[in-house]
Amino acid sequence: MGMAASQARLLTITARIHDVEYQAQSIQNAKVQLATQSDQVYNEYMEALDAQTLTISTIGADGSKSRISATFNNLFSSNRVRPADGSTYALRNERGLLVVENAVYEAYENFEGKDPYLFAIYMLGGESASNDIRSLEDLYKVEEALYINKKDSEEDDFNDNVKNLRESLEKYVSDGDIYSGNLKAEYDNEEGREKYEGTLQNYRAALYQQFGKEICTNVDLSCIDLTFSAMAMTEGQYNQDKFDNYVDLYNQIKLCGGCVPISDYNGMFGDASNNSEWLTSMIQCGKFSIDTFSKDKNGKCTMNGTSPSSDSCLSYTETTAIDSTAAKKAEAKYEKDLKEIDKKDKRYDLTLSKLETERTALTTEYDSVKKVIEDNIDRTFGIFS
């Protein structure tokens, strides 16, 4: 009975020794993996220091130039910064659709007009203003009312550009109505109509540039037969820069065949409209492209592709060069990750020490039990020798 118990204890000790050695081996492997993690953490730290961010060269109100990270908000929104070369940038997705602010997308979806100036009025004044002018024809009447009032006033308020464009338009039409599209015979062809439409666009652009506030807020409409007496937009709602921006946005959307809201891209990066890292990666991987928007002398709007490698204002810049906190953040993360690895390493060392102590004790007991078994065998079977 004693020999059987001793043998059972010996087998138990042997199994435990094997288990302890296996645990020790697993921990040693884990320590090797920690060394690999240390290398990975260091590489991530170096990548963070070498990371690139899309930046844009801007010009301030005082004429000073600076370079800032490019986000959707400061490059494509209605509150965009002013690029140093005066370019107007547009962002397109992989389907070619324009990426716009949520408010612009919703307004465009609900807007029933077909004119960029009506759209700008809609954006600035909302339903209260846009309901007063319900069609392009009504807007033409408002513009004509302004012309008649200014023309018949004692002082001629029109600048030379508006005057010249108006005179050019009157040469095209046969009935004196520059908005009618009834061209004289010599201009009633494809080339003449294209020039007429371009001149009309330029005239209206110049008219709004000089008198946009009056057209949109308090023009005297007593000389025309409309069911409303004045625009509902208040002077506080009107902003010339934003008005011009919304006119351009409408033309851009038309050129791109539609638009999508920036909120469609919110996700793991959070607010996409204000995330330079997200915008940089989307452009670098080809999901988004940047175009420049322009108008020629005939008023024709065009979109032309550009890239940080060819554009005078856009470029990829080391993140740490424009964000003084980027290096500190990267270093803090690096040190934190190293401390976590060091803590794990110390825990592994402590566990290994405990296992080694247990293994030593088990080995000593193993030798003792084995000796007991051998002595027992000698005493029991020595009589036969």
Side-chain angles (χ1 to χ4, degrees), residues 9-289:
R9 179 55 182 163
L10 188 66
L11 292 175
T12 302
I13 294 172
T14 303
R16 180 55 187 163
I17 289 176
H18 289 165
D19 184 50
V20 167
E21 290 175 344
Y22 173 77
Q23 290 183 50
Q25 185 178 11
S26 297
I27 292 173
Q28 290 289 359
N29 290 335
K31 284 175 68 66
V32 172
Q33 291 177 0
L34 283 182
T36 304
Q37 288 180 25
S38 296
D39 292 339
Q40 183 179 350
V41 167
Y42 176 74
N43 290 334
E44 289 177 354
Y45 174 54
M46 295 306 297
E47 288 175 0
L49 293 180
D50 295 336
Q52 291 185 327
T53 298
L54 181 66
T55 61
I56 180 171
S57 175
T58 67
I59 184 167
D62 59 354
S64 61
K65 291 185 179 180
S66 62
R67 183 164 289 280
I68 62 172
S69 354
T71 64
F72 176 87
N73 282 342
N74 62 30
L75 196 56
F76 308 106
S77 74
S78 56
N79 295 315
R80 67 185 68 180
V81 298
R82 185 157 59 111
D85 65 355
S87 297
T88 298
Y89 294 104
L91 186 67
R92 305 174 79 173
N93 67 8
E94 65 272 20
R95 294 187 292 156
L97 300 178
L98 194 71
V99 183
V100 298
E101 296 170 277
N102 296 341
V104 172
Y105 173 78
E106 292 171 5
Y108 184 79
E109 291 294 302
N110 296 325
F111 180 62
E112 297 179 356
K114 296 182 180 179
D115 181 77
Y117 298 101
L118 275 174
F119 180 74
I121 292 171
Y122 182 89
M123 285 301 302
L124 286 182
E127 293 290 343
S128 61
S130 59
N131 284 342
D132 283 349
I133 295 182
R134 300 178 185 280
S135 68
L136 182 57
E137 289 73 20
D138 285 343
L139 190 58
Y140 285 160
K141 291 180 181 180
V142 173
E143 295 168 6
E144 190 69 14
L146 174 76
Y147 172 75
I148 293 172
N149 289 351
K150 293 293 183 182
K151 182 182 179 183
D152 294 342
S153 64
E154 293 182 1
E155 295 184 8
D156 189 350
D157 294 325
F158 293 109
N159 61 38
D160 291 339
N161 189 34
V162 175
K163 289 179 186 176
N164 294 336
L165 288 167
R166 177 80 186 200
E167 290 173 2
S168 297
L169 280 171
E170 290 174 345
K171 292 178 181 178
Y172 282 102
V173 294
S174 58
D175 55 5
D177 183 359
I178 65 168
Y179 295 102
S180 67
N182 298 324
L183 301 186
K184 293 178 181 178
E186 62 265 37
Y187 300 113
D188 196 7
N189 52 58
E190 184 176 350
E191 182 181 357
R193 185 161 293 280
E194 184 176 338
K195 288 183 177 179
Y196 156 76
E197 291 176 353
T199 305
L200 179 60
Q201 288 182 40
N202 288 332
Y203 167 73
R204 295 185 70 209
L207 194 66
Y208 277 90
Q209 195 64 44
Q210 188 179 1
F211 299 107
K213 187 173 183 179
E214 294 186 60
I215 295 173
C216 295
T217 58
N218 59 3
V219 65
D220 180 9
L221 304 177
S222 59
C223 58
I224 58 177
D225 181 21
L226 288 177
T227 57
F228 52 88
S229 60
M231 288 293 298
M233 189 188 300
T234 66
E235 291 189 10
Q237 289 175 302
Y238 186 79
N239 179 293
Q240 186 66 52
D241 290 338
K242 287 190 176 182
F243 185 88
D244 294 340
N245 179 65
Y246 288 132
V247 170
D248 288 345
L249 266 174
Y250 183 84
N251 288 325
Q252 291 171 28
I253 293 172
K254 285 297 184 183
L255 285 172
C256 295
C259 59
V260 293
I262 184 64
S263 61
D264 280 4
Y265 299 95
N266 291 343
M268 63 178 293
F269 288 97
D271 180 14
S273 64
N274 202 36
N275 191 306
S276 58
E277 180 184 353
W278 169 81
L279 181 63
T280 301
S281 63
M282 291 295 280
I283 292 171
Q284 287 179 328
C285 73
K287 290 290 186 180
F288 281 177
S289 61

